[in-house]
Amino acid sequence: MQLQPACTASNFTAAPRQAAPEAGACGQRIADALKLIATLLEPQRRVVHAGDVIYRAGEPFSRLHILNSGLFKLLSLSADGREQVVGLRLRGDWLGFSAIAGGVYACDAIAMDTGEVWTVPYDALLRACSRHPELTAIVHEAMSHEIVRDRDSLIALCTLPADARVVAFLQFWADSLARRGLRTDQISLRLTRAEIGNYLGLTLETVSRVLSKLARARLIAFNEKNRRDICIPDFHALGAFVQRREAGVGLH
Amino acid sequence: MQLQPACTASNFTAAPRQAAPEAGACGQRIADALKLIATLLEPQRRVVHAGDVIYRAGEPFSRLHILNSGLFKLLSLSADGREQVVGLRLRGDWLGFSAIAGGVYACDAIAMDTGEVWTVPYDALLRACSRHPELTAIVHEAMSHEIVRDRDSLIALCTLPADARVVAFLQFWADSLARRGLRTDQISLRLTRAEIGNYLGLTLETVSRVLSKLARARLIAFNEKNRRDICIPDFHALGAFVQRREAGVGLH
DNA sequence: CGCAACCTTGACACTTGTCAACACAAGTGG
DNA sequence: CCACTTGTGTTGACAAGTGTCAAGGTTGCG
């Protein structure tokens, strides 16, 4: 059984790329998966608001969550008490996979906006999967996708300098929106500088400086009176900016 | 159906921890999983040697691989040609999960040592899972474990300074060995400084300097005439070293 | 108005990368 | 046996990138 190629969303890499050329297709794909989940699993549906906790690290695991809408962050609490944003999740993503191995949730999942969460007991999911192979395919694909995405962000964080990380973040963000059929030229970050920096392994000052630099270079533009909404006039130029800098570093 | 807590191997974090207190239990757990896989799936078995390629990025996906012995690295090739080590895999780990979503392998998997690889067609695995729920549990746990492990290393790479990363790497390594029932006081890294640095997002010089510093502080000791084999006399002291530095950084 | 969040910018220090030189071991071929 | 090469590891000097600290600006809200 060969799976058809998914919209693997090679998000969060340095390669310059047009924003989601397969936008519609992938949005459809997500919609189809959600519809199948809705009909086969009849998940419990819940509307959440900014700040609502889906689960916390350490809680016993018994249910998985599928996001129908909204924006969510995954927070990992290190031993010394600092929080680290380890992922952002949107419509079509699953929450809770990381808890299967340990029996307890491995991080906090928190809504950053109004959204709808579907919840299914894990054992019910397993039973449904044994009856419906197409559901198994969707679950495995979602887990696999999460592995690929995490790996991509790992590479970005390991190898890219600060400004390239911020650019990669902007590309990732626009990609995620485009793939769900939303407009990408005018985007709202919905994260503070501190949260972006935390996610990217940078300080908030560095994020602010990079954004200012990009704005001075006309690669992005801030909305009037609101520096969280930004506009990306030319996607290709944004990626090329990073490429140029990397080439410069290589020179003597 | 509540899963029993697995040996989640919170490898690769900053928290000081004794090396694998549950060593035997976890080795047994891996052995049980392998036995189940062997009997239910009758995988094709193959002996590999250092440098052998299990798969390459871009090859079409149809089979998963389970490692019975040996050491393997996952290499991700970025757009501009640089290689990045994105993971190390040992006995009991699976290879190929990241290919499920995309239909093609997402990275290279290369043996670094003599070992034995078991290979199963993915569709055969799915069929077996539908008949044997306990196999599904093992597969899901392995995928979940991979997600957790990747996330842990992400945190380490994002938030830790260079010396803490190297210490975390040593702890991860000793943990991995201990969990499989091997001795941890005398370990062979089997990686060059360059490979360690690549994996940790550091240069080989930085890795070398950190190891020298640890050796000067008597936290590790090099083997005579072979600086790849190292000895860790006191595991707790190694972790405490990082904690102390972090506390120092916080002071004014 | 005052206050709290959030953002920006500058000066400075520190960590780490870059470049270079050298040491050492293993293999190769004269 | 000795040069020579290659791969690996160590160490130092220096520079670049980024974090830290501090000050001030803007927005929104009670």
Side-chain angles (χ1 to χ4, degrees), chain B residues 133-180:
Chain B
E134 70 273 27
L135 185 59
T136 305
I138 285 177
V139 173
H140 283 195
E141 187 190 310
M143 295 181 85
S144 173
H145 186 66
E146 184 158 337
I147 291 171
V148 173
R149 170 170 42 189
D150 287 354
R151 190 170 294 166
D152 282 346
S153 50
L154 183 86
I155 296 173
L157 290 164
C158 275
T159 66
L160 298 182
D163 43 13
R165 290 190 205 182
V166 175
V167 169
F169 172 76
L170 293 176
Q171 291 178 324
F172 157 74
W173 197 258
D175 245 37
S176 297
L177 294 180
R179 207 166 326 111
R180 290 163 175 84

Side-chain angles (χ1 to χ4, degrees), chain A residues 217-232:
Chain A
R218 306 282 179 203
L219 291 167
I220 66 173
F222 289 108
N223 202 335
E224 293 296 320
K225 292 290 173 195
N226 182 354
R227 295 182 66 92
R228 269 199 216 178
D229 294 352
I230 67 172
C231 163
I232 303 178

Side-chain angles (χ1 to χ4, degrees), chain B residues 9 43 103 128 138 186 213 234:
Chain B
I138 285 177
Q186 190 75 34
K213 188 163 75 171
D234 180 0

Side-chain angles (χ1 to χ4, degrees), chain A residues 109-145:
Chain A
I110 298 180
M112 305 192 69
D113 196 0
T114 301
E116 186 180 299
V117 179
W118 298 357
T119 298
V120 296
Y122 180 53
D123 53 359
L125 175 68
L126 287 182
R127 282 195 303 271
C129 280
S130 69
R131 289 191 309 269
H132 304 282
E134 69 274 27
L135 185 59
T136 306
I138 286 177
V139 173
H140 283 195
E141 187 189 311
M143 295 182 85
S144 173
H145 186 66

Side-chain angles (χ1 to χ4, degrees), chain B residues 192-193 204-205 208-209 212 222 227-228:
Chain B
T192 67
R193 303 289 191 260
L204 67 91
E205 293 96 330
S208 178
R209 274 187 256 266
S212 295
F222 289 109
R227 296 181 67 92
R228 269 200 217 177

